[in-house]
Amino acid sequence: MKEILVVAEIRQGEVRPITYELLNISKCVNGKITCILLGNDVKEIAKELADKADEVLLIQDDSLENFNSELYWHALKEVIEERKPYIVAMGHTSMGMDLAPYVADQLDLPIVTDIVRIEEKDGRLVVHKYVYNNKLLAELKLKESEGYVLTIRQGEFKDEVGGKEGSIIERSFSPPETLKKRFIEYIEPETVGVDISKADVIISVGRGIEDEANIELAEELAEMINGVVAGSRPVIDSGWLPKERQVGISGKTVKPKLYLALGISGAFQHIVGMKDSDLIIAINKDPEAPIFQVAHYGVVGDIFEIIPELVDKLNQ
Ligand SMILES: Cc1cc2nc3c(=O)[nH]c(=O)nc-3n(C[C@H](O)[C@H](O)[C@H](O)COP(=O)(O)OP(=O)(O)OC[C@H]3O[C@@H](n4cnc5c(N)ncnc54)[C@H](O)[C@@H]3O)c2cc1C
């Protein structure tokens, strides 16, 4: 049976959400899903991951407390050479971008990065990724190989697998005596107000909101329905909302239960970031606006008439 080796991502003792997305690859490609967990004192995490993998390979050592691509490679090498997995999968994150090319180069395996979809067609592995500055979605039929290294874009594979009760196998690790790279310090990223990628309800405003002062309208509505306000790129570029509130290809990918798009045309670069929301409702005065192609419900109308009415109704 083919094996898919997922490299778990741990930061400051916690599993990064991308790990769960990677484990979800088992829904796209047939094979045994093995999760390799490298860290220090991470046995409890291994138990959690075993719910979503057929097997968890646990490698614990003081030296693996923080990510170091050189050390990770040493820990991974033996496993990969022994198991010869069909796919070695990592997140398209700072960790994956550092480690994956190195692994591919060392093992002379083909690599495809920043993948948004994977499937098998006629016995061949087919992956999808955006090219030409995210303007085109390419479908790549990979040349035959005994294995592949892939990095997966965050937010593209829903966290759905579970109930696997995989086995946990602990392996020993002896770090090399000399290393070219060493961990110096972890610098906590500056905390920003709201993480829209975790929000259940998003009120998203586009250029149709016309002015910074009108954002208040969306904020009032958001407050009433426990939502957060996000926006399209022009709104962010105008400085009306902070950068971390941008939805889209150069912003964040979101999957809320409700995405309410107000005055957003639905450019491809925006759609990519919100198309998988559970329920999309769009209000736009242009009946031809592309946003209606992805919306579950569309209202053709003026947001400055509809939103105050909606707020009034909710107040009743
Ligand atoms: C490399 C690159 C990366 C990009 N990344 C992103 C990204 O991450 N996110 C993103 O959003 N964009 C991104 N863009 C920009 C993208 O191409 C679009 O320009 C942008 O999404 C358009 O934003 P919008 O829909 O708010 O504005 P517009 O396209 O100007 O649309 C405004 C809409 O509001 C409607 N409207 C106007 N007034 C009202 C009203 N009173 N009531 C109802 N409807 C009204 C109009 O009919 C129109 O459809 C990127 C572009 C490039 C080239």
Side-chain angles (χ1 to χ4, degrees):
M1 195 188 215
K2 286 184 293 195
E3 187 167 19
I4 301 153
L5 187 72
V6 161
V7 184
E9 200 162 312
I10 308 286
R11 190 184 295 162
Q12 298 296 92
E14 286 186 14
V15 197
R16 306 287 298 156
I18 184 70
T19 307
Y20 299 117
E21 292 200 47
L22 288 162
L23 293 170
N24 206 26
I25 294 177
S26 60
K27 296 209 161 212
C28 315
V29 183
N30 285 322
K32 173 186 169 190
I33 189 124
T34 301
C35 182
I36 181 157
L37 174 62
L38 309 170
N40 184 26
D41 197 14
V42 286
K43 204 163 197 160
E44 285 309 308
I45 294 177
K47 289 182 193 158
E48 203 185 303
L49 296 175
D51 180 53
K52 301 170 197 309
D54 297 308
E55 186 178 288
V56 177
L57 295 178
L58 173 63
I59 303 184
Q60 302 191 93
D61 192 80
D62 289 354
S63 64
L64 298 170
E65 173 90 33
N66 293 292
F67 171 67
N68 174 328
S69 56
E70 199 181 351
L71 270 173
Y72 265 48
W73 159 247
H74 281 288
L76 279 173
K77 184 176 183 288
E78 208 178 296
V79 174
I80 297 174
E81 283 177 349
E82 175 190 309
R83 302 265 184 124
K84 301 209 177 336
Y86 178 52
I87 295 173
V88 178
M90 302 177 207
H92 193 69
T93 56
S94 48
M95 175 182 133
M97 283 187 249
D98 186 350
L99 185 61
Y102 192 70
V103 170
D105 180 55
Q106 292 294 314
L107 298 172
D108 200 18
L109 291 174
I111 178 170
V112 192
T113 57
D114 202 14
I115 283 162
V116 295
R117 207 181 304 156
I118 307 174
E119 55 190 331
E120 279 178 304
K121 269 190 198 165
D122 310 322
R124 296 273 289 277
L125 193 62
V126 175
V127 298
H128 297 233
K129 67 171 279 170
Y130 288 101
V131 292
Y132 295 122
N133 204 9
N134 291 310
K135 286 192 174 62
L136 288 179
L137 180 63
E139 180 182 298
L140 309 176
K141 195 172 189 181
L142 304 190
K143 69 169 192 180
E144 287 191 35
S145 165
E146 61 171 18
Y148 305 90
V149 179
L150 307 177
T151 67
I152 309 294
R153 182 180 285 197
Q154 299 181 74
E156 294 295 332
F157 291 80
K158 283 188 181 166
D159 171 15
E160 280 170 5
V161 284
K164 283 199 175 254
E165 295 178 21
S167 51
I168 300 176
I169 297 175
E170 201 154 353
R171 293 177 69 114
S172 58
F173 173 64
S174 313
E177 278 172 18
T178 52
L179 284 172
K180 291 191 197 93
K181 280 186 183 180
R182 68 188 170 93
F183 174 80
I184 295 176
E185 180 194 4
Y186 176 75
I187 299 169
E188 188 73 45
E190 226 176 279
T191 40
V192 289
V194 177
D195 184 357
I196 57 168
S197 65
K198 295 202 177 102
D200 279 342
V201 175
I202 294 181
I203 315 297
S204 196
V205 291
R207 207 180 336 233
I209 200 80
E210 287 178 8
D211 192 86
E212 185 173 12
N214 298 330
I215 303 270
E216 208 179 295
L217 205 61
E219 271 162 0
E220 192 183 357
L221 179 60
E223 204 173 305
M224 297 179 90
I225 56 175
N226 283 329
V228 298
V229 177
S232 65
R233 182 159 157 180
V235 170
I236 310 306
D237 287 351
S238 305
W240 300 344
L241 284 173
K243 173 71 183 158
E244 66 270 10
R245 302 282 185 112
Q246 183 180 321
V247 174
I249 219 151
S250 50
K252 289 198 174 164
T253 300
V254 296
K255 286 193 176 94
K257 291 187 177 134
L258 169 65
Y259 190 85
L260 180 57
L262 307 178
I264 294 178
S265 59
F268 155 74
Q269 291 92 346
H270 186 82
I271 300 289
V272 165
M274 45 64 77
K275 65 180 186 336
D276 293 323
S277 304
D278 290 347
L279 178 67
I280 301 169
I281 303 176
I283 307 177
N284 195 304
K285 62 184 182 186
D286 173 9
E288 302 297 324
I291 191 80
F292 290 130
Q293 287 167 21
V294 292
H296 300 99
Y297 295 97
V299 181
V300 178
D302 189 328
I303 51 172
F304 297 110
E305 288 168 17
I306 295 166
I307 299 306
E309 248 180 73
L310 191 57
V311 168
D312 276 353
K313 281 249 156 44
L314 289 167
N315 268 328
Q316 281 167 17

